[in-house]
Amino acid sequence: MSLFRKKSIQTLISETNSKGVKLKKDLGAFDLTMLGIGAIIGTGIFVLTGVAAAEHAGPALVISFIMSGLACVFAALCYAEFASTVPVSGSAYTYSYATFGELIAWILGWDLILEYGLASSAVASGWSGYFQGLLAGFGIHFPKALTSAYNPANGTYVDIPAIMIVFLITLLLTQGVKKSSRFNAIMVIIKLAVVLLFIVVGVSYVKPENWTPFMPFGFSGVATGAATVFFAYIGFDAVATAAEEVRKPQRDMPIGIIASLAICTVLYIVVSLILTGIVPYTELNVKNPVAFALSYINQDWVAGFISLGAIVGITTVLLVMMYGQTRLFYAISRDGLLPKPFSKISEKKQTPVVNTWITCLLVSIFSGLVPLGRLAELTNIGTLFAFMTVSIGILYLRKSKQTSESTGFRVPFVPVIPILAFVFCLYLALQLPKLTWISFVIWLLLGLVVYFLYGRKHSHLNSSK
């Protein structure tokens, strides 16, 4: 039964106030909302919308976004209660420690390492592509060998721009959470302005006849589209990793999680309606559908701003994902399941500086040298797995009676909302390819090997007996 030993919520909270240098409480509701929007709006809205419309959902793409949005809203309510009740770094990993025990917590932590690490690497690669495209417009080109991941047949060996942006983001993260959140807020405002510009310019060019037939691939196409665009929503859960650095977590964590998701869902629905209203869905199978739609209506000057918005958007996603990865490593290491350097806090910056540079090295290797291809789907399944576990965790939390009615935010209509969150996320996960499931199981098995060889032996719960 030692595999399922738990930490009480009181113990988890008290450990954040133990001796030594602590993370600095510097964030409020606005910072958290900006972090959420920064993580959510990126490649999803600027890239995935076109492919999902052309190949899966057609004009019914808006229903795909609503389906994915509902799954995320239900899951977000569960995250909000946990983040309010357990204001500790680690997100779903920490929540599982309190509800399911150490082994399940480790599996969740290992799963989130996959989500944040792989997403960071994929996003850095995407940023590199957009950045090189921008430089090409000014006649500036990197040597081909340095433009993409290792592929000798194509003449490429390392993606230098991807490594550069990872290094710059790491420098920013080591300066402290307040500076990082300020930079993120400025970039998010620019990004939202660009999305709103598309909406304002594009709405007058909508032709309702482009929405017919509305569901050309049937409902199964809409469901597959929902699983595809789910990637566009990934990120709000990264807000939960900031809980330990929030001034008033009981109030501000639920606001940050729910507000960021609500704003992004509304924008996704409006953008998808306008996009399929401007361009026939059959022509949207392009890498830059939003900019393509503006060129389609001869608004090339706005298309340039959209490309800039895409670069800014991807930068903020990378920032929040790498931030989430560092705080996850910090939380797991503090429990003894990873080596001590991951939880060492800089006395001057009050951030895990060593951990952040280790994260930089790992993300740089993957984004700079490894062609990720379809591995982005692993990010989806990893996130859905975390959402399902957190949803069921609410039922365990209520049953254990570790919290009272007066403790922060409470999910309404329990057990209905947690069960709906679980069912929606499971349905979306089942739409993913078989190869993705096999790869995910292999990753989890590798995690179990690491736990039994290192984590179980070094867990701090061993010394607390």
Side-chain angles (χ1 to χ4, degrees), residues 4 11 37 43 97 124 135 143 185 193 196-197 227 247 250 271 323 341 426:
F4 300 99
T11 301
I37 297 172
T43 49
Y97 224 139
L135 290 182
L196 291 173
L197 178 64
R247 290 188 292 271
Q250 278 76 18
V271 167
Y323 169 82
L426 178 62

Side-chain angles (χ1 to χ4, degrees), residues 43-65 68 214-218 220-232 272 275-276 281-287 289:
T43 49
I45 198 167
F46 295 112
V47 178
L48 287 177
T49 45
V51 176
E55 296 185 356
H56 304 302
L61 176 67
V62 64
I63 298 178
S64 297
F65 270 113
S68 277
F214 184 67
M215 204 180 288
F217 303 99
S220 63
V222 174
T224 305
T228 304
V229 300
F230 179 78
F231 188 82
S272 60
L275 190 66
T276 53
Y281 74 90
T282 52
E283 298 181 38
L284 279 173
N285 194 4
V286 292
K287 290 183 178 180

Side-chain angles (χ1 to χ4, degrees), residues 290-337:
V290 178
F292 174 78
L294 291 165
S295 299
Y296 190 85
I297 56 176
N298 298 314
Q299 296 291 333
D300 292 299
W301 67 276
V302 186
F305 281 105
I306 294 297
S307 296
L308 174 64
I311 292 174
V312 170
I314 293 170
T315 303
T316 61
V317 173
L318 181 59
L319 172 68
V320 181
M321 286 297 173
M322 285 189 64
Y323 169 82
Q325 180 76 87
T326 62
R327 292 333 186 245
L328 177 65
F329 277 148
Y330 168 76
I332 298 175
S333 172
R334 188 169 59 188
D335 293 328
L337 304 183

